[in-house]
Amino acid sequence: MVDRLANSEANTRRISIVENCFGAAGQPLTIPGRVLIGEGVLTKLCRKKPKARQFFLFNDILVYGNIVIQKKKYNKQHIIPLENVTIDSIQDEGDLRNGWLIKTPTKSFAVFAATATEKSEWMNHINKCVSDLLSKSGKTPSNDHAAVWVPDSEATVCMRCQKAKFTPVNRRHHCRKCGFVVCGPCSEKRFLLPSQSSKPVRICDFCYDLLSTGEMTACQSTRSDSYSQSPKSSSNDVSDDDDDEDSSD
């Protein structure tokens, strides 16, 4: 089915429409063999609060962006190569339902669909695209992925020292290795994580000590990839155009 659509006029036209929705700021998406499999609005769990994002699934990449006007215009285009993607289902808890994790070496995050059926369809299509890509390339699935960031609202105190309370002055930071919300003193060190950045990134003291001694695998977070409660928005939240990937902390 995908092979038949690859060079069809209808497919080319659909991809062109997606390109135009992102405007001049977006990267070109039309290449030989690329097929638009499906699209839809998913709720992405960002560091401040859950936010609606428009997702486009192609046979080789996953693209998403902020919704600007009536689900027809988008900005902040993000492109994720599917070869590097693994997905895991998330149990329903509270208001966060029908979710799964999208994990890559560069970044990982949770998304939620409107219904269980929609979740199943998204996961099945993503898995099929990844499987086809790996089969064609002969590569093996990636076992390395970035930590999923704990939302700000789930931590009122530092998740490492368990003492420092977060205030407008004592800001929250995220360890790039384990994803924990930590205070400044517990995350003053930086370490080079090549899959995430070409420069050393902020990590907590716990992860730094393990990485420095070569015990990298032990540094992974032991928390479950589930969310015990729905993040609550507040008057201090940044605008809906803000996202965790645009934050330096």
Side-chain angles (χ1 to χ4, degrees), residues 56-67:
F56 301 91
L57 176 63
F58 296 84
N59 59 329
D60 62 333
I61 58 174
L62 183 65
V63 179
Y64 70 93
N66 298 13
I67 300 171

Side-chain angles (χ1 to χ4, degrees), residues 5-249:
L5 290 173
N7 299 312
S8 70
E9 291 185 10
N11 178 64
T12 301
R13 187 163 56 250
R14 291 174 67 199
I15 295 179
S16 178
I17 291 173
V18 175
E19 282 184 346
N20 292 335
C21 285
F22 280 103
Q27 295 184 34
L29 298 173
T30 303
I31 65 170
R34 177 168 291 163
V35 175
L36 177 59
I37 305 297
E39 61 184 272
V41 177
L42 298 173
T43 298
K44 180 177 180 289
L45 192 60
C46 302
R47 67 171 295 184
K48 294 293 184 181
K49 59 182 179 181
K51 299 174 185 177
R53 296 288 182 258
Q54 183 76 22
F55 281 77
F56 301 91
L57 176 63
F58 296 84
N59 59 329
D60 62 333
I61 58 174
L62 183 65
V63 179
Y64 70 93
N66 298 13
I67 300 171
V68 182
I69 303 174
Q70 297 178 348
K71 302 180 183 179
K72 297 297 182 183
K73 296 291 182 181
Y74 319 107
N75 65 12
K76 295 187 179 179
Q77 182 194 67
H78 302 277
I79 300 177
I80 302 175
L82 285 179
E83 270 192 351
N84 299 326
V85 168
T86 56
I87 59 175
D88 289 323
S89 180
I90 300 173
Q91 291 184 351
D92 292 343
E93 291 191 22
D95 295 332
L96 295 175
R97 307 180 66 82
N98 310 314
W100 67 98
L101 298 177
I102 296 176
K103 303 187 295 185
T104 80
T106 304
K107 70 180 281 91
S108 302
F109 54 90
V111 293
F112 299 85
T115 66
T117 299
E118 186 179 343
K119 168 186 174 178
S120 177
E121 291 177 348
W122 270 102
M123 292 189 70
N124 288 339
H125 284 307
I126 292 174
N127 276 327
K128 178 65 164 59
C129 289
V130 173
S131 176
D132 289 347
L133 282 171
L134 294 177
S135 177
K136 291 179 180 179
S137 67
K139 297 180 180 179
T140 57
S142 174
N143 292 321
D144 180 36
H145 61 80
V148 179
W149 283 17
V150 176
D152 284 2
S153 58
E154 289 194 8
T156 57
V157 299
C158 175
M159 297 178 72
R160 284 304 182 194
C161 69
Q162 299 291 321
K163 296 177 181 178
K165 293 184 178 180
F166 295 121
T167 67
V169 176
N170 188 29
R171 297 175 56 206
R172 292 172 172 83
H173 302 278
H174 277 84
C175 172
R176 299 308 196 270
K177 183 61 180 175
C178 67
F180 276 17
V181 183
V182 290
C183 64
C186 284
S187 59
E188 292 179 339
K189 297 182 177 65
R190 294 179 178 269
F191 199 92
L192 181 62
L193 302 177
S195 63
Q196 296 189 39
S197 175
S198 59
K199 299 178 180 180
V201 293
R202 180 188 293 271
I203 61 174
C204 68
D205 291 347
F206 176 78
C207 289
Y208 182 86
D209 291 342
L210 290 175
L211 286 166
S212 298
T213 57
E215 300 178 32
M216 296 184 67
T217 55
C219 184
Q220 291 293 340
S221 162
T222 56
R223 74 183 182 91
S224 63
D225 287 316
S226 62
Y227 303 91
S228 58
Q229 53 184 303
S230 177
K232 300 177 178 62
S233 61
S234 71
S235 58
N236 293 326
D237 280 340
V238 291
S239 70
D240 286 343
D241 285 341
D242 180 74
D243 211 342
D244 50 0
E245 48 263 333
D246 304 312
S247 169
S248 60
D249 295 315

